Amino acid sequence: MLKDRHPAFLAALWMTGALFSFMAMAVSGRELTAEYTTYQILFFRSVIGVVLIGALVAKTGIEQLRTTRPGAHLVRNIAHFGGQYGWFYGLAWISLAEVIAIEFTTPVWTALLAWLLLGERLTLPRVLAVALGIAGLLLILRPGMGVLHPASLAVLAGAFGYALSYIQTKSLTRTDTPLCILFYMTLMQLPFGMVPSLLDWKSPTLEALPWILVVGVTAMSAHYCMARAFKLADATVVVPMDFMRLPLIALVGYLFYQELIDWYVLAGTALMFSGNLINIRAEQRKAPLRQEIRAHQSPE
């Protein structure tokens, strides 16, 4: 039975679900950008998210939605909405592979923001991860080699928004449950997308409805699958699989949209992956030492 399998195997299965969710969300987002504005797509996503999270809350109880930090939730959701906007906007203008590759700079900005806002140390492995991440980004964007597409900058700004939302999420998990964070994410972001959507509203058609449902469902399933994978296995198992998104989405772009595979994008992503792996391995080596220190510090 599956529950008797090794945790790493189960984590790989959850990450497979996450990969397919991310790819389905990218394709459905690309299809919707032909007819709808980015704000409308985000509004549709939030409506479906509210329904899904509402169903979970009805099943598990409303008590866990209590929070004493509405301001922190607001900051997180403004940053996350900005990240989502940049991501979906990029899908309309640049290749699927380039969108995913630029999104992979999020760990770089997260490390820098954690240093600036949370006071976390910038160790040598983290500095190497940041340096390799920036080098990979420059290889992907190649400034000075031609006209830089504004959509690339939008996705880059979106990656920064994701990083800020991750920092806020880390802070919120000290006091609020994951379901609480997800609930306020969907609830707060609903008007963020609705208000600008009304200025240029276009009612969804029957043909667009399946794509809208896919965007909304996979936005939740992708992160749920990743969370389950991280719970079962170390980051050294999960992160390499997440980077498989790039070659897979490049293949999807080639097969369905005739997008050429850009080897600079693949090389830049390889640099980012190397930096992430160096940092993760360093953190894993430090984990046993931290546990030993805590054991010596704890009272008998």
Side-chain angles (χ1 to χ4, degrees):
M1 296 176 66
L2 280 178
K3 65 179 181 180
D4 299 322
R5 297 278 188 171
H6 192 277
F9 174 79
L10 296 176
L13 288 182
W14 282 112
M15 275 307 298
T16 300
L19 291 172
F20 279 101
S21 294
F22 278 122
M23 287 191 295
M25 184 165 56
V27 171
S28 56
R30 166 67 65 83
E31 292 295 321
L32 289 171
T33 55
E35 297 291 333
Y36 303 96
T37 67
T38 304
Y39 285 117
Q40 277 193 275
I41 296 171
L42 292 175
F43 171 64
F44 296 148
R45 182 208 58 138
S46 294
V47 169
I48 295 171
V50 166
V51 173
L52 293 175
I53 299 300
L56 283 174
V57 169
K59 184 178 180 181
T60 59
I62 200 170
E63 296 80 12
Q64 61 183 303
L65 301 184
R66 293 187 184 131
T67 182
T68 58
R69 305 173 65 190
H73 281 283
L74 181 61
V75 171
R76 179 195 179 273
N77 285 301
I78 290 173
H80 188 264
F81 186 84
Q84 290 273 278
Y85 184 91
W87 196 80
F88 278 104
Y89 180 81
L91 289 176
W93 299 101
I94 58 178
S95 71
L96 296 177
E98 191 173 351
V99 170
I100 300 300
I102 297 173
E103 182 202 345
F104 283 150
T105 61
T106 299
V108 173
W109 313 127
T110 303
L112 291 174
L113 286 171
W115 172 57
L116 289 170
L117 301 179
L118 302 180
E120 293 187 4
R121 291 178 57 217
L122 269 181
T123 60
L124 180 59
R126 290 179 184 178
V127 170
L128 282 173
V130 169
L132 288 171
I134 292 174
L137 174 65
L138 292 175
L139 194 59
I140 292 166
L141 298 180
R142 300 191 296 283
M145 299 296 290
V147 178
L148 191 62
H149 201 291
S152 298
L153 298 178
V155 178
L156 183 59
F160 187 85
Y162 281 139
L164 182 56
S165 75
Y166 292 160
I167 294 296
Q168 285 297 115
T169 302
K170 184 174 182 179
S171 174
L172 282 166
T173 52
R174 297 169 188 159
T175 57
D176 295 355
T177 66
L179 188 58
C180 176
I181 294 170
L182 279 175
F183 174 77
Y184 286 106
M185 180 188 81
T186 55
L187 188 66
M188 288 183 173
Q189 292 188 31
L190 185 65
F192 293 173
M194 181 181 68
V195 173
S197 292
L198 293 176
L199 300 176
D200 187 23
W201 179 256
K202 184 174 182 180
S203 298
T205 62
L206 287 176
E207 292 79 9
L209 191 58
W211 297 118
I212 292 171
L213 291 172
V214 170
V215 162
V217 172
T218 54
M220 297 294 158
S221 64
H223 295 289
Y224 178 79
C225 289
M226 282 194 74
R228 291 297 300 265
F230 274 114
K231 187 175 180 179
L232 287 164
D234 290 339
T236 46
V237 175
V238 177
V239 170
M241 287 199 68
D242 187 34
F243 272 83
M244 283 297 295
R245 268 197 285 159
L246 182 69
L248 289 174
I249 205 67
L251 181 62
V252 169
Y254 175 76
L255 293 176
F256 291 94
Y257 301 105
Q258 293 75 53
E259 294 176 354
L260 297 178
I261 296 176
D262 190 331
W263 295 105
Y264 284 101
V265 171
L266 295 179
T269 306
L271 285 176
M272 295 178 194
F273 172 69
S274 300
N276 274 285
L277 204 56
I278 289 170
N279 186 38
I280 290 168
R281 289 192 180 279
E283 293 296 322
Q284 281 195 319
R285 283 195 293 270
K286 287 192 293 186
L289 180 60
R290 290 197 195 101
Q291 291 175 352
E292 186 177 344
I293 291 171
R294 289 194 192 104
H296 283 298
Q297 288 177 341
S298 62
E300 294 292 336

